[in-house]
Amino acid sequence: MRLLLADDEKELSNALVAILKHNNYTVDAVYNGTDALDYALTGDYDGIILDIMMPGLDGMEVLKKLRDKGLSTPVLFLTAKTEIDDRIKGLDLGADDYLPKPFDMGELLARVRAMLRRKADFSPTNLSCGNLTLDRSGYDLSTPDHDKIHLASREFQMMELLMTSPGRIISVDTFMDRIWPDGEADVNIVWVYISNLRKKLSSLDATCEIKASRGVGYSITETS
């Protein structure tokens, strides 16, 4: 399951990312409302965790813009505000839940699980291209005539980006920003992962392939 976390308190954000990843969530972290809106509109997320008080756009503004554009991804608000009027406003705008700060990490995980159960109609568990299926709940790639192949976390994130919109070119910068956000890897790592994924598609006799667009990025398309 893929989450977007938007909170300008970087120390808290880092702790939340570590906890969520430890519990097998894929997490993109941003630190202002403008980036939160951009990521939410361009990424396929199962759930969004939004702080209300953020620079750029506040959480309320982000949520309103998302709902105005018809995006139904469930949203959990994190906020230091406890006033009833703020809670009512957020819920009226389309928030799914509220969690006032400070909070217990166990309660956060429980609320995230509840939020994701409610999103079942928004995002399919499986993504497909040709005869290839990506199981987002189990990190598995499969085709009808072969045993499934389990993907490591970053392999899964890369395939999820590609298979969310078959045919759409994903830039190397996008892969780096989403999968190696701390800059701990060289851009050549993208090619290494693409090469490994191509081998796995070949071993599965997949009827789709990962294509390179020189100087632009990569896409996955069904073979003719």
Side-chain angles (χ1 to χ4, degrees), residues 101-159:
K101 298 177 181 178
F103 50 81
D104 179 80
M105 290 295 185
E107 182 179 4
L108 170 70
L109 291 171
R111 288 179 182 266
V112 168
R113 288 193 297 269
M115 175 179 71
L116 295 178
R117 285 195 296 268
R118 292 193 294 269
K119 60 57 88 175
D121 292 335
F122 167 71
S123 182
T125 300
N126 295 332
L127 297 173
S128 62
C129 177
N131 67 343
L132 183 70
T133 298
L134 177 66
D135 181 353
R136 304 168 82 185
S137 63
Y139 287 28
D140 297 319
L141 271 181
S142 63
T143 54
D145 298 325
H146 293 271
D147 291 336
K148 62 186 179 183
I149 295 177
H150 184 72
L151 300 179
S153 177
R154 282 171 172 160
E155 290 178 326
F156 168 78
Q157 292 177 61
M158 185 169 282
M159 283 303 299

Coordinates of all heavy atoms in Angstrom, one line a residue, residues 101-159:
K101 N -2.5 15.9 17.4 CA -1.1 15.7 18.0 C -1.2 16.2 19.5 O -1.9 17.1 19.8 CB -0.1 16.6 17.3 CG 0.1 16.2 15.8 CD 1.0 17.2 15.1 CE 1.2 16.9 13.7 NZ 2.1 17.9 13.0
P102 N -0.4 15.5 20.3 CA 0.5 14.3 20.1 C -0.4 13.1 20.0 O -1.4 13.0 20.6 CB 1.4 14.3 21.3 CG 0.6 15.0 22.4 CD -0.2 16.0 21.7
F103 N 0.1 12.1 19.4 CA -0.6 10.8 19.2 C 0.3 9.6 19.5 O 1.5 9.7 19.3 CB -1.3 10.7 17.9 CG -0.4 11.0 16.7 CD1 0.4 10.0 16.2 CD2 -0.4 12.2 16.1 CE1 1.3 10.2 15.2 CE2 0.5 12.5 15.1 CZ 1.3 11.5 14.6
D104 N -0.3 8.5 19.7 CA 0.4 7.3 19.9 C 0.6 6.6 18.5 O -0.4 6.6 17.7 CB -0.4 6.3 20.8 CG 0.3 5.0 21.0 OD1 1.2 4.9 21.8 OD2 -0.1 4.0 20.3
M105 N 1.8 6.1 18.3 CA 2.0 5.5 17.0 C 1.1 4.3 16.7 O 0.7 4.1 15.6 CB 3.5 5.0 16.9 CG 4.5 6.2 16.8 SD 4.3 7.2 15.3 CE 5.7 8.3 15.5
G106 N 0.8 3.6 17.7 CA -0.2 2.4 17.6 C -1.5 2.9 17.1 O -2.2 2.3 16.2
E107 N -2.0 4.0 17.6 CA -3.3 4.6 17.2 C -3.2 5.1 15.7 O -4.1 4.9 14.9 CB -3.7 5.7 18.1 CG -5.1 6.3 17.7 CD -5.6 7.4 18.6 OE1 -4.9 7.8 19.5 OE2 -6.7 7.8 18.3
L108 N -2.1 5.7 15.4 CA -1.9 6.1 14.0 C -2.0 5.0 13.0 O -2.7 5.0 12.0 CB -0.5 6.8 13.8 CG -0.1 7.1 12.3 CD1 -1.0 8.2 11.8 CD2 1.3 7.4 12.2
L109 N -1.3 3.9 13.3 CA -1.3 2.7 12.5 C -2.7 2.1 12.4 O -3.2 1.7 11.3 CB -0.4 1.6 13.0 CG 1.1 2.0 12.8 CD1 2.0 0.9 13.6 CD2 1.5 2.1 11.4
A110 N -3.5 2.1 13.5 CA -4.8 1.6 13.5 C -5.7 2.5 12.6 O -6.6 2.0 11.8 CB -5.4 1.5 14.9
R111 N -5.5 3.8 12.7 CA -6.4 4.7 11.9 C -6.0 4.6 10.4 O -6.9 4.7 9.5 CB -6.2 6.1 12.4 CG -6.9 6.3 13.7 CD -6.7 7.8 14.2 NE -7.4 8.0 15.5 CZ -8.6 8.5 15.7 NH1 -9.4 8.7 14.6 NH2 -9.1 8.6 16.9
V112 N -4.7 4.4 10.1 CA -4.3 4.2 8.7 C -5.0 2.9 8.2 O -5.5 2.9 7.0 CB -2.8 4.1 8.6 CG1 -2.4 3.6 7.2 CG2 -2.2 5.5 8.8
R113 N -4.9 1.8 8.9 CA -5.5 0.6 8.5 C -7.0 0.8 8.2 O -7.6 0.3 7.2 CB -5.3 -0.5 9.5 CG -3.9 -1.0 9.6 CD -3.8 -2.3 10.4 NE -4.2 -2.1 11.8 CZ -3.3 -1.8 12.8 NH1 -2.0 -1.6 12.5 NH2 -3.7 -1.7 14.0
A114 N -7.7 1.5 9.1 CA -9.1 1.7 9.0 C -9.4 2.6 7.7 O -10.3 2.3 7.0 CB -9.7 2.4 10.2
M115 N -8.6 3.6 7.5 CA -8.7 4.4 6.3 C -8.5 3.6 5.1 O -9.3 3.8 4.1 CB -7.7 5.6 6.4 CG -7.6 6.5 5.2 SD -6.4 7.8 5.3 CE -4.9 6.9 5.2
L116 N -7.6 2.7 5.0 CA -7.3 2.0 3.8 C -8.4 0.9 3.6 O -8.7 0.6 2.4 CB -5.9 1.3 3.9 CG -4.8 2.3 3.9 CD1 -3.5 1.5 4.1 CD2 -4.7 3.2 2.7
R117 N -9.0 0.4 4.6 CA -10.2 -0.5 4.4 C -11.3 0.3 3.7 O -12.0 -0.3 2.9 CB -10.6 -1.0 5.7 CG -9.7 -2.1 6.3 CD -10.4 -2.9 7.4 NE -10.7 -2.1 8.6 CZ -9.9 -1.9 9.6 NH1 -8.7 -2.5 9.6 NH2 -10.3 -1.2 10.6
R118 N -11.5 1.5 4.0 CA -12.6 2.3 3.5 C -12.3 2.7 2.0 O -13.2 3.1 1.3 CB -12.8 3.5 4.3 CG -13.4 3.2 5.7 CD -14.0 4.5 6.3 NE -12.9 5.5 6.7 CZ -12.3 5.5 7.8 NH1 -12.5 4.6 8.8 NH2 -11.3 6.4 8.0
K119 N -11.0 2.6 1.6 CA -10.7 3.1 0.2 C -10.8 2.0 -0.8 O -10.5 2.2 -2.0 CB -9.3 3.7 0.2 CG -8.1 2.9 0.5 CD -7.8 1.6 -0.2 CE -7.0 1.7 -1.5 NZ -6.8 0.3 -2.0
A120 N -11.4 0.8 -0.5 CA -11.3 -0.3 -1.4 C -11.9 0.0 -2.8 O -11.4 -0.5 -3.8 CB -12.1 -1.5 -0.8
D121 N -12.8 0.9 -2.9 CA -13.4 1.2 -4.2 C -12.6 2.1 -5.0 O -12.8 2.3 -6.2 CB -14.8 1.8 -4.0 CG -15.8 0.8 -3.5 OD1 -15.6 -0.4 -3.6 OD2 -16.8 1.2 -2.9
F122 N -11.6 2.7 -4.4 CA -10.8 3.7 -5.1 C -9.7 3.1 -5.9 O -9.4 3.4 -7.1 CB -10.2 4.8 -4.1 CG -9.1 5.6 -4.8 CD1 -9.5 6.6 -5.7 CD2 -7.8 5.5 -4.4 CE1 -8.5 7.3 -6.3 CE2 -6.8 6.2 -5.0 CZ -7.2 7.2 -6.0
S123 N -8.9 2.2 -5.3 CA -7.7 1.8 -5.9 C -7.6 0.3 -6.0 O -7.8 -0.4 -5.0 CB -6.5 2.3 -5.1 OG -5.3 1.9 -5.7
P124 N -7.5 -0.3 -7.2 CA -7.4 -1.8 -7.4 C -6.2 -2.4 -6.7 O -5.2 -1.8 -6.6 CB -7.4 -2.0 -8.9 CG -6.7 -0.7 -9.4 CD -7.2 0.4 -8.5
T125 N -6.4 -3.6 -6.1 CA -5.3 -4.3 -5.5 C -4.3 -4.7 -6.5 O -3.1 -4.7 -6.3 CB -5.9 -5.6 -4.8 OG1 -6.8 -5.2 -3.8 CG2 -4.7 -6.3 -4.1
N126 N -4.8 -5.1 -7.7 CA -3.8 -5.5 -8.8 C -3.8 -4.5 -9.9 O -4.7 -3.9 -10.3 CB -4.3 -6.9 -9.3 CG -4.3 -8.0 -8.3 OD1 -3.5 -7.9 -7.4 ND2 -5.1 -9.0 -8.5
L127 N -2.5 -4.4 -10.5 CA -2.3 -3.6 -11.7 C -1.9 -4.6 -12.8 O -1.3 -5.6 -12.5 CB -1.2 -2.6 -11.5 CG -1.5 -1.5 -10.4 CD1 -0.2 -0.7 -10.2 CD2 -2.7 -0.6 -10.8
S128 N -2.3 -4.3 -14.0 CA -2.0 -5.2 -15.1 C -1.5 -4.5 -16.3 O -1.8 -3.3 -16.6 CB -3.2 -6.1 -15.4 OG -4.3 -5.2 -15.9
C129 N -0.7 -5.3 -17.1 CA -0.3 -4.8 -18.5 C -0.1 -6.1 -19.3 O 0.8 -6.9 -18.9 CB 1.0 -4.0 -18.4 SG 1.7 -3.5 -20.0
G130 N -0.8 -6.3 -20.3 CA -0.7 -7.5 -21.1 C -1.2 -8.7 -20.2 O -2.2 -8.6 -19.5
N131 N -0.3 -9.7 -20.1 CA -0.6 -10.9 -19.3 C 0.0 -10.7 -17.9 O 0.0 -11.7 -17.1 CB -0.2 -12.2 -19.9 CG 1.3 -12.3 -20.1 OD1 2.0 -11.3 -20.0 ND2 1.8 -13.5 -20.3
L132 N 0.7 -9.6 -17.6 CA 1.4 -9.4 -16.4 C 0.5 -8.7 -15.3 O -0.2 -7.8 -15.6 CB 2.6 -8.5 -16.7 CG 3.6 -8.2 -15.5 CD1 4.3 -9.4 -15.2 CD2 4.5 -7.0 -15.9
T133 N 0.6 -9.3 -14.1 CA -0.1 -8.7 -13.0 C 0.8 -8.4 -11.9 O 1.7 -9.1 -11.5 CB -1.2 -9.7 -12.5 OG1 -2.1 -10.0 -13.5 CG2 -1.9 -9.2 -11.3
L134 N 0.6 -7.2 -11.3 CA 1.3 -6.7 -10.1 C 0.4 -6.7 -8.9 O -0.6 -6.0 -8.9 CB 2.0 -5.4 -10.3 CG 2.7 -4.8 -9.1 CD1 3.9 -5.6 -8.8 CD2 3.1 -3.3 -9.3
D135 N 0.6 -7.6 -8.0 CA -0.2 -7.7 -6.8 C 0.3 -6.6 -5.8 O 1.4 -6.8 -5.2 CB -0.1 -9.1 -6.2 CG -1.0 -9.2 -4.9 OD1 -1.5 -8.2 -4.4 OD2 -1.1 -10.3 -4.4
R136 N -0.4 -5.5 -5.6 CA 0.1 -4.5 -4.7 C 0.0 -4.8 -3.2 O 0.7 -4.2 -2.4 CB -0.7 -3.2 -5.0 CG -0.7 -2.8 -6.4 CD -1.7 -1.7 -6.7 NE -1.3 -0.4 -6.4 CZ -2.1 0.7 -6.5 NH1 -3.3 0.6 -6.9 NH2 -1.6 1.9 -6.2
S137 N -0.7 -5.8 -2.9 CA -0.8 -6.2 -1.4 C 0.3 -7.1 -1.1 O 0.7 -7.2 0.1 CB -2.2 -6.8 -1.1 OG -2.3 -8.0 -1.9
G138 N 0.8 -7.9 -2.0 CA 1.9 -8.9 -1.7 C 3.2 -8.6 -2.4 O 4.2 -9.4 -2.2
Y139 N 3.3 -7.5 -3.2 CA 4.6 -7.2 -3.9 C 5.0 -8.3 -4.9 O 6.2 -8.5 -5.1 CB 5.7 -7.0 -2.9 CG 5.7 -5.7 -2.1 CD1 4.5 -5.0 -1.8 CD2 6.8 -5.1 -1.6 CE1 4.4 -3.9 -1.1 CE2 6.8 -3.9 -0.8 CZ 5.6 -3.3 -0.6 OH 5.6 -2.2 0.1
D140 N 4.0 -8.9 -5.5 CA 4.3 -10.0 -6.4 C 4.0 -9.7 -7.9 O 3.0 -9.1 -8.2 CB 3.5 -11.3 -6.0 CG 3.8 -11.8 -4.6 OD1 5.0 -11.8 -4.3 OD2 2.9 -12.1 -3.9
L141 N 4.9 -10.2 -8.8 CA 4.6 -10.1 -10.2 C 4.3 -11.5 -10.7 O 4.9 -12.5 -10.2 CB 5.9 -9.7 -11.0 CG 6.1 -8.2 -11.2 CD1 7.4 -8.1 -12.0 CD2 5.0 -7.5 -12.0
S142 N 3.3 -11.6 -11.6 CA 2.9 -12.9 -12.1 C 2.3 -12.9 -13.5 O 1.9 -11.8 -13.9 CB 1.9 -13.6 -11.1 OG 0.7 -12.8 -11.1
T143 N 2.4 -14.0 -14.1 CA 1.7 -14.2 -15.4 C 1.0 -15.6 -15.2 O 1.3 -16.4 -14.4 CB 2.6 -14.3 -16.6 OG1 3.7 -15.2 -16.3 CG2 3.2 -12.9 -16.8
P144 N -0.1 -15.8 -16.1 CA -0.9 -17.1 -15.9 C -0.1 -18.4 -15.9 O -0.5 -19.3 -15.2 CB -1.9 -17.0 -17.0 CG -2.0 -15.5 -17.3 CD -0.6 -15.0 -17.1
D145 N 1.0 -18.5 -16.6 CA 1.6 -19.7 -16.8 C 2.9 -19.9 -16.0 O 3.7 -20.8 -16.2 CB 2.0 -19.9 -18.3 CG 0.7 -20.0 -19.2 OD1 -0.3 -20.5 -18.7 OD2 0.8 -19.5 -20.3
H146 N 3.2 -19.0 -15.1 CA 4.4 -19.0 -14.3 C 4.1 -18.7 -12.8 O 3.1 -18.0 -12.5 CB 5.4 -18.0 -14.8 CG 5.9 -18.3 -16.2 ND1 7.0 -19.2 -16.4 CD2 5.5 -18.0 -17.4 CE1 7.2 -19.3 -17.7 NE2 6.3 -18.6 -18.3
D147 N 5.0 -19.3 -12.0 CA 4.9 -18.9 -10.5 C 5.2 -17.4 -10.3 O 6.0 -16.9 -11.1 CB 5.9 -19.8 -9.7 CG 5.5 -21.2 -9.7 OD1 4.3 -21.5 -9.9 OD2 6.4 -22.1 -9.5
K148 N 4.6 -16.9 -9.3 CA 4.8 -15.5 -9.1 C 6.2 -15.2 -8.6 O 6.9 -16.1 -8.0 CB 3.8 -15.0 -8.0 CG 3.9 -15.6 -6.7 CD 2.8 -15.2 -5.8 CE 2.9 -15.8 -4.4 NZ 1.8 -15.5 -3.5
I149 N 6.7 -14.0 -8.8 CA 8.0 -13.5 -8.4 C 7.8 -12.4 -7.4 O 7.1 -11.4 -7.7 CB 8.8 -13.0 -9.6 CG1 9.2 -14.1 -10.6 CG2 10.1 -12.4 -9.1 CD1 9.9 -13.7 -11.8
H150 N 8.4 -12.6 -6.2 CA 8.3 -11.5 -5.2 C 9.3 -10.4 -5.4 O 10.5 -10.7 -5.7 CB 8.5 -12.1 -3.8 CG 8.3 -11.2 -2.7 ND1 7.0 -10.7 -2.3 CD2 9.1 -10.5 -1.9 CE1 7.1 -9.8 -1.3 NE2 8.4 -9.7 -1.0
L151 N 8.9 -9.2 -5.4 CA 9.7 -8.1 -5.6 C 10.2 -7.4 -4.3 O 9.5 -7.4 -3.3 CB 9.0 -7.0 -6.4 CG 8.5 -7.4 -7.8 CD1 7.8 -6.2 -8.4 CD2 9.6 -7.9 -8.7
A152 N 11.5 -7.0 -4.3 CA 12.0 -6.2 -3.2 C 11.2 -4.8 -3.2 O 10.6 -4.5 -4.2 CB 13.5 -6.0 -3.3
S153 N 11.3 -4.1 -2.1 CA 10.5 -2.9 -1.9 C 10.8 -1.9 -3.1 O 9.8 -1.4 -3.6 CB 10.9 -2.3 -0.6 OG 10.2 -1.0 -0.4
R154 N 12.0 -1.6 -3.4 CA 12.3 -0.6 -4.4 C 11.9 -1.1 -5.8 O 11.5 -0.4 -6.7 CB 13.7 -0.2 -4.4 CG 13.9 0.8 -3.2 CD 15.3 1.2 -3.0 NE 15.4 2.3 -2.0 CZ 16.5 2.6 -1.3 NH1 17.6 1.8 -1.4 NH2 16.5 3.6 -0.4
E155 N 12.1 -2.4 -6.1 CA 11.6 -3.0 -7.3 C 10.1 -2.8 -7.5 O 9.6 -2.4 -8.5 CB 11.9 -4.5 -7.4 CG 13.4 -4.8 -7.5 CD 13.7 -6.3 -7.5 OE1 12.9 -7.0 -6.8 OE2 14.6 -6.7 -8.3
F156 N 9.4 -3.1 -6.4 CA 7.9 -2.9 -6.4 C 7.5 -1.5 -6.6 O 6.7 -1.2 -7.4 CB 7.3 -3.4 -5.0 CG 5.9 -3.0 -4.9 CD1 4.9 -3.7 -5.5 CD2 5.6 -1.9 -4.1 CE1 3.6 -3.3 -5.4 CE2 4.2 -1.5 -3.9 CZ 3.2 -2.2 -4.6
Q157 N 8.2 -0.5 -5.9 CA 7.9 0.9 -6.1 C 8.0 1.3 -7.6 O 7.2 2.0 -8.2 CB 8.7 1.7 -5.2 CG 8.4 1.6 -3.7 CD 9.3 2.4 -2.9 OE1 9.4 3.6 -3.0 NE2 10.1 1.8 -2.0
M158 N 9.1 0.8 -8.2 CA 9.4 1.1 -9.6 C 8.3 0.5 -10.5 O 7.8 1.2 -11.4 CB 10.8 0.6 -10.0 CG 11.2 1.0 -11.4 SD 13.0 0.7 -11.7 CE 13.7 2.1 -10.8
M159 N 8.0 -0.8 -10.3 CA 6.9 -1.4 -11.1 C 5.6 -0.7 -10.9 O 4.8 -0.6 -11.9 CB 6.9 -2.9 -10.8 CG 8.0 -3.7 -11.4 SD 8.1 -3.6 -13.3 CE 6.5 -4.2 -13.8

